[in-house]
Amino acid sequence: MTSPPSWQRVCHPAELREGECVEFTLAKGNPDQQTTDLRGFVFRRSGKVYGYLNRCPHLGIELNWMPGRFMDADNCFIQCATHGALFLPDSGECIAGPCQGDALIPLEVTETGDDILVRRPE
Ligand code: FES
């Protein structure tokens, strides 16, 4: 039996302003199950914090071409910098592009007074 992934601190809530993204490296879980570093990002939209693995379902590469930049020009959708796939911010579903119908892998997110915490889903 394996223990559930533990929560990992990303930043203080004040460091994640509306419309901005914060990137991080996920702590390794069970070394038998994960041998490479996984990157993730969180962002705040309408006050709520969302988090996803930084991995496009099309080719499995990172979404962004610049640190902290994940959104399209209008700040409406998450956009993959490689082929332009667009993802709904609240569900991660791809609505346009080569991986339409696929989705980003969501992270569990919780916000306390001092911390934004994430963990991989079990
Ligand atoms: S790698 Fe993201 S759309 Fe192709």
Side-chain angles (χ1 to χ4, degrees), residues 56 58-59 61 80 82-85 98:
C56 182
H58 181 214
L59 296 181
I61 60 178
C80 179
T82 303
H83 304 117

Side-chain angles (χ1 to χ4, degrees), residues 28-45:
K28 283 194 165 76
N30 181 340
D32 294 338
Q33 296 175 340
Q34 181 187 332
T35 57
T36 58
D37 285 342
L38 289 176
R39 301 277 297 159
F41 65 103
V42 292
F43 59 93
R44 188 183 300 280
R45 174 165 291 245

Side-chain angles (χ1 to χ4, degrees), residues 42-63:
V42 292
F43 59 93
R44 188 183 300 280
R45 174 165 291 245
S46 300
K48 184 174 178 195
V49 180
Y50 299 87
Y52 295 99
L53 286 185
N54 184 4
R55 189 164 61 193
C56 182
H58 181 214
L59 296 181
I61 60 178
E62 293 193 350
L63 295 156

Side-chain angles (χ1 to χ4, degrees), residues 43-98:
F43 59 93
R44 188 183 300 280
R45 174 165 291 245
S46 300
K48 184 174 178 195
V49 180
Y50 299 87
Y52 295 99
L53 286 185
N54 184 4
R55 189 164 61 193
C56 182
H58 181 214
L59 296 181
I61 60 178
E62 293 193 350
L63 295 156
N64 56 320
W65 59 277
M66 278 181 69
R69 295 292 304 273
F70 289 87
M71 298 296 174
D72 67 349
D74 296 328
N75 214 22
C76 289
F77 301 102
I78 300 163
Q79 184 169 38
C80 179
T82 303
H83 304 117
L86 296 174
F87 303 88
L88 294 174
D90 57 348
S91 68
E93 179 189 353
C94 179
I95 55 158

